[in-house]
Amino acid sequence: PGAIADAQWGVMLPRAVVGMAALLLGNAFIVGINQISDRDIDVLNKPFLPVASGEMSEKAAWVAVLTAGIVGPSIVYNFFPTLLFKLYMLGWGLGAIYSVPPFRTKRNPLLAGLTIATVRGFLLNFGVYYAVKDAIGAPFAWSPKVAFVARFMTVFATVIAVTKDLPDVEGDKAYNISTFATKVGVPRIAKGATIC
């Protein structure tokens, strides 16, 4: 009983689908802009990716990225509260500066980790929680359960941020991308990550 039993599924389900589409478009924007910016590095590290392999032209990649980068925010702006739009755009902006010069926070292991942990840990979890509360018409109140999940996922995303570069050492070294893996070494990072 309660909010779920009284939910108007005919209104909420389409809104959830729209929200999921916006999240997927945001992810496509962030991942796509990274693949375009890292094309030369990915030729060494991940030659199977669409842009690095030449399967997708850079022009087609830019069209896809820009479309996702415009449509995603437009959806959130038109269908969700202002706070969610601001959170979405913060994640969108952090995702962009991770890859795009002159910022390219991925060049600094600490900034890269903070960027990934903020977007994938806190913003994503808090944003989805807020969207659900708004969708069911419940007043927003910070929940200890969500606080725990957001903290846990932030720590988890931090571990991902450190370990995601383990297979990329060759290209990162060749293009002067400083990561914990290039600084400390793959065996030590892998061992440290298994302790977490």
Side-chain angles (χ1 to χ4, degrees), residues 20-32 68-69 72-73 88 91-92 95 120:
M20 189 164 36
L23 287 173
L24 291 171
L25 288 165
N27 192 62
F29 171 77
I30 291 170
V31 171
Y88 186 92
W92 187 96
R120 306 262 183 216

Side-chain angles (χ1 to χ4, degrees), residues 2-38:
I4 292 179
D6 299 333
Q8 298 175 357
W9 292 105
V11 174
M12 287 187 358
L13 193 56
R15 192 165 177 192
V17 171
V18 167
M20 189 164 36
L23 287 173
L24 291 171
L25 288 165
N27 192 62
F29 171 77
I30 291 170
V31 171
I33 207 158
N34 182 262
Q35 285 192 33
I36 293 167
S37 299
D38 282 3

Side-chain angles (χ1 to χ4, degrees), residues 84-96 118-119 122-123:
L84 279 178
F85 177 70
K86 289 178 180 177
L87 291 171
Y88 186 92
M89 292 311 295
L90 178 59
W92 187 96
L94 289 172
T118 300
V119 174
F122 177 75
L123 288 176

Side-chain angles (χ1 to χ4, degrees), residues 9-167:
W9 292 105
V11 174
M12 287 187 358
L13 193 56
R15 192 165 177 192
V17 171
V18 167
M20 189 164 36
L23 287 173
L24 291 171
L25 288 165
N27 192 62
F29 171 77
I30 291 170
V31 171
I33 207 158
N34 182 262
Q35 285 192 33
I36 293 167
S37 299
D38 282 3
R39 187 185 63 77
D40 294 338
I41 298 170
D42 287 342
V43 165
L44 293 173
N45 292 336
K46 300 170 186 160
F48 52 86
L49 292 175
V51 177
S53 69
E55 183 179 337
M56 177 183 261
S57 71
E58 191 169 326
K59 182 179 178 181
W62 273 114
V63 168
V65 164
L66 293 175
T67 300
I70 293 167
V71 174
S74 298
I75 289 171
V76 178
Y77 182 81
N78 286 297
F79 290 95
F80 296 95
T82 304
L83 177 59
L84 279 178
F85 177 70
K86 289 178 180 177
L87 291 171
Y88 186 92
M89 292 311 295
L90 178 59
W92 187 96
L94 289 172
I97 66 170
Y98 175 83
S99 299
V100 177
F103 308 103
R104 206 158 160 81
T105 60
K106 73 172 285 162
R107 287 184 300 195
N108 178 300
L110 185 59
L111 289 176
L114 286 171
T115 302
I116 293 168
T118 300
V119 174
R120 306 262 183 216
F122 177 75
L123 288 176
L124 182 61
N125 289 283
F126 176 75
V128 168
Y129 173 70
Y130 185 82
V132 169
K133 293 292 264 185
D134 180 69
I136 63 174
F140 177 77
W142 191 246
S143 160
K145 293 173 188 170
V146 174
F148 170 77
V149 169
R151 279 194 223 103
F152 177 83
M153 289 307 297
T154 301
V155 171
F156 185 70
T158 302
V159 173
I160 290 171
V162 172
T163 59
K164 72 173 190 54
D165 295 316
L166 294 180

